Amino acid sequence: MGTEAGPGRLCLVTGATGYVGGRLVPELLAAGYRVRCLARTPSKLRDHPWADRVEVATGDVTDEASVREAMQDVDVAYYLVHGLSGGRDFEETDGRAARVFGRRCKAAGVGRIVYLGGLTPAGVPESELSPHLRSRAEVGRILLDSGVSTAALRAAVIIGSGSASFEMLRYLTERLPVMVTPSWVGTRVQPIAIRDVLRLLVGCAELPGDVSRSFDVGGPDVLTYRDMMQGYARVAGLPRRLIVPVPVLTPRLSSHWIGLVTPVPRAIARPLAESLRHEVVCTERDIERYVPPPPEGSLNVRRALELALQRIQDAEVVTRWSSAALPGAPSDPLPTDPDWAGGSLYSDRRRRLVRASPQALWSVVEGIGGENGWYSFPLAWALRGWLDRAVGGVGLRRGRRDASRLRVGDSLDFWRVEEIDRGSLLRLRAEMRLPGLAWLELRVTRDENGRTSYEQRALFHPHGLAGHLYWWSVSPFHAVVFGGMARNIASAAEKQGARRPGGDGTGADQTGGDRAGADSRRARQAGRAAG
């Protein structure tokens, strides 16, 4: 497929900042294709290992002008965007975006569209489907009717390290040895490994021009969700789970239950739960006529779970379900204009001199959050996370993609990395439910005397009276939360610096090995994105 990297055919990938798209790009490059990514926020692609090997076009699939520009000279266009947790009008938005995309593909002479949608249950009227499955089916039809040869892949549960379906399965099984569950745990599904999804997506670029249709895609196993949970328990070395299904747990109640137990917020948990109300099993396997499985066959569920767990244990999770920002989450960049429209901009600033090298301090800063915590008043952070979950937010359970390295666009508990200047600046934008916009900046600098300095700034732009009241209600706790955070980060850096040769604040600590290890890990990730 394709030719040598560089002169190959040009593929446009939408959704490259998301879970599947972020893994598809390196697979296309490895197969010899040239890749252009369409992204609303190109900076989110900057720190990927493959970033310097792709073109990046700024735009949105709902903006016809930006799509038109991105389509120039494109041979194959991948449509991998979905409003999984969108607002009430997400179906209309999804449809409008698909029409724009199909229209511009046709006008640009694109040879093929490849779309990844959801597997819909056979024999069930579309009116009875969940809004999200119904919308995905409609998007597929729109693209197939665009006049461009289209391959619309329809998948059910995708199993891979970091996928929302896998995270939901993993946490439910690990945290609940005894479960009272919704009745849909008895529904039969046909999961597919992310590795096979990527193989099929790449293979579809070479389909014959006269092939334009939908394809059901799934792995070799058909089993219930209960079977999947028990299977995960076996792979993870856990005792067999006691699962008691009850019929009274509706998809809405199920989403609350999933949101309480797993990192997946209920806005995403609900469409996942709704998609399991009906049996979702492949009715045909015609795709194998065009993209044959490897000699060893497609991955079964057990092997897919083993690979996903191995990636987590090796800290090689390339993308996660949270890679894409949640619809409705604040996305405004940090204001830099002092006269920024909107009035008040509250701030809390802290600064401490640190008896350690800048490198030692930075390693603590970049490792913040997730299992490492926030270095102050854990109960207060946990309470804020619980409150956010209670009102439908993401809470603290998203954790980190990587235990030591961050990149722009990464989710970090209820923050998202807005900017990172490795060694000196980490800026986080809040994605918890707030009456305003919030940022947290952590800086590593040297003062005029060459001493290492830690600077911390929390910013809040209130929306209306509720925003002002919120700031003043929490400001009495800032000395404990933010003050303690600055002290403890400085202390952790000093302890870490003392353990390193030359880590006494002179800047001579030997971090080359750490950097080489991180670079080596990134190289491994580039070659192992399919797990």
Side-chain angles (χ1 to χ4, degrees), residues 334 425-427 439-443 455-458:
L334 178 70
L425 167 68
L426 174 62
R427 180 185 301 137
W439 296 266
L440 179 62
E441 273 191 348
L442 314 179
R443 289 182 181 270
E455 298 175 6
Q456 177 181 295
R457 182 170 68 145

Side-chain angles (χ1 to χ4, degrees), residues 412-471:
L412 181 58
D413 293 329
F414 48 43
W415 305 90
R416 189 169 296 276
V417 179
E418 181 176 276
E419 183 57 74
I420 184 167
D421 185 356
R422 194 150 276 107
S424 62
L425 167 68
L426 174 62
R427 180 185 301 137
L428 307 175
R429 187 184 69 245
E431 289 192 334
M432 72 281 273
R433 299 295 179 91
L434 287 170
L437 304 173
W439 296 266
L440 179 62
E441 273 191 348
L442 314 179
R443 289 182 181 270
V444 177
T445 64
R446 286 189 182 273
D447 69 4
E448 61 278 6
N449 297 316
R451 297 174 297 181
T452 302
S453 175
Y454 171 69
E455 298 175 6
Q456 177 181 295
R457 182 170 68 145
L459 294 147
F460 182 68
H461 174 63
H463 287 171
L465 177 61
H468 292 277
L469 293 175
Y470 172 83
W471 175 265

Side-chain angles (χ1 to χ4, degrees), residues 261-307:
V261 177
T262 80
V264 182
R266 69 170 183 253
I268 290 178
R270 183 166 183 176
L272 292 177
E274 287 177 332
S275 68
L276 295 168
R277 286 187 302 173
H278 304 287
E279 183 176 280
V280 277
V281 175
C282 297
T283 58
E284 45 84 10
R285 303 190 68 90
D286 295 348
I287 189 65
E288 294 182 357
R289 289 163 41 199
Y290 303 100
V291 188
E296 66 275 14
S298 301
L299 293 181
N300 59 30
V301 169
R302 182 182 181 87
R303 184 59 182 148
L305 291 173
E306 288 172 345
L307 283 172

Side-chain angles (χ1 to χ4, degrees), residues 85-353:
S85 57
R88 295 178 180 177
D89 61 346
F90 82 91
E91 289 185 81
E92 189 276 330
T93 301
D94 276 357
R96 185 174 75 252
R99 282 187 286 272
V100 167
F101 194 81
R103 189 161 57 241
R104 297 324 312 172
C105 281
K106 176 69 173 176
V110 171
R112 173 159 302 281
I113 296 171
V114 183
Y115 168 62
L116 179 61
L119 182 59
T120 53
V124 177
E126 196 164 290
S127 59
E128 296 181 16
L129 298 179
S130 71
H132 289 272
L133 270 182
R134 190 167 61 238
S135 178
R136 291 193 177 192
E138 174 65 14
V139 167
R141 280 196 299 272
I142 291 170
L143 296 176
L144 285 165
D145 292 341
S146 65
V148 178
S149 294
T150 297
L153 305 188
R154 309 194 312 161
V157 174
I158 295 177
I159 299 178
S161 57
S163 75
S165 296
F166 174 74
E167 294 283 281
M168 187 172 95
L169 174 69
R170 173 190 172 201
Y171 281 92
L172 286 175
T173 309
E174 288 184 352
R175 293 180 174 177
L176 298 176
V178 179
M179 286 178 260
V180 175
T181 63
S183 57
W184 50 251
V185 298
T187 301
R188 293 200 317 156
V189 295
Q190 190 164 355
I192 183 170
I194 182 62
R195 177 172 299 192
D196 288 316
V197 171
L198 297 174
R199 175 178 57 81
L200 292 170
L201 287 171
V202 173
C204 282
E206 297 295 330
L207 290 177
D210 60 349
V211 175
S212 186
R213 52 164 292 187
S214 63
F215 293 96
D216 292 357
V217 297
D221 298 324
V222 176
L223 65 175
T224 67
Y225 202 85
R226 181 195 295 109
D227 294 334
M228 290 175 61
M229 287 192 284
Q230 299 292 13
Y232 178 87
R234 286 192 296 273
V235 168
L238 301 172
R240 183 175 176 82
R241 280 14 205 168
L242 178 60
I243 301 170
V244 182
V246 295
V248 295
L249 286 175
T250 64
R252 180 175 181 179
L253 290 175
S254 297
S255 66
H256 286 280
W257 171 65
I258 294 166
L260 286 172
V261 177
T262 80
V264 182
R266 69 170 183 253
I268 290 178
R270 183 166 183 176
L272 292 177
E274 287 177 332
S275 68
L276 295 168
R277 286 187 302 173
H278 304 287
E279 183 176 280
V280 277
V281 175
C282 297
T283 58
E284 45 84 10
R285 303 190 68 90
D286 295 348
I287 189 65
E288 294 182 357
R289 289 163 41 199
Y290 303 100
V291 188
E296 66 275 14
S298 301
L299 293 181
N300 59 30
V301 169
R302 182 182 181 87
R303 184 59 182 148
L305 291 173
E306 288 172 345
L307 283 172
L309 277 175
Q310 189 62 51
R311 293 290 184 268
I312 292 170
Q313 292 164 3
D314 292 345
E316 292 187 345
V317 180
V318 183
T319 59
R320 296 180 69 217
W321 61 270
S322 57
S323 298
L326 292 173
S331 58
D332 306 63
L334 178 70
T336 54
D337 184 347
D339 297 321
W340 185 51
S344 303
L345 187 63
Y346 294 115
S347 68
D348 179 279
R349 299 170 184 261
R350 310 278 167 171
R351 181 176 181 271
R352 294 188 70 86
L353 294 177

Side-chain angles (χ1 to χ4, degrees), residues 23-39:
R23 297 187 180 213
L24 176 63
V25 170
E27 296 295 316
L28 289 169
L29 292 170
Y33 295 95
R34 293 178 297 129
V35 176
R36 178 183 297 152
C37 300
L38 177 65

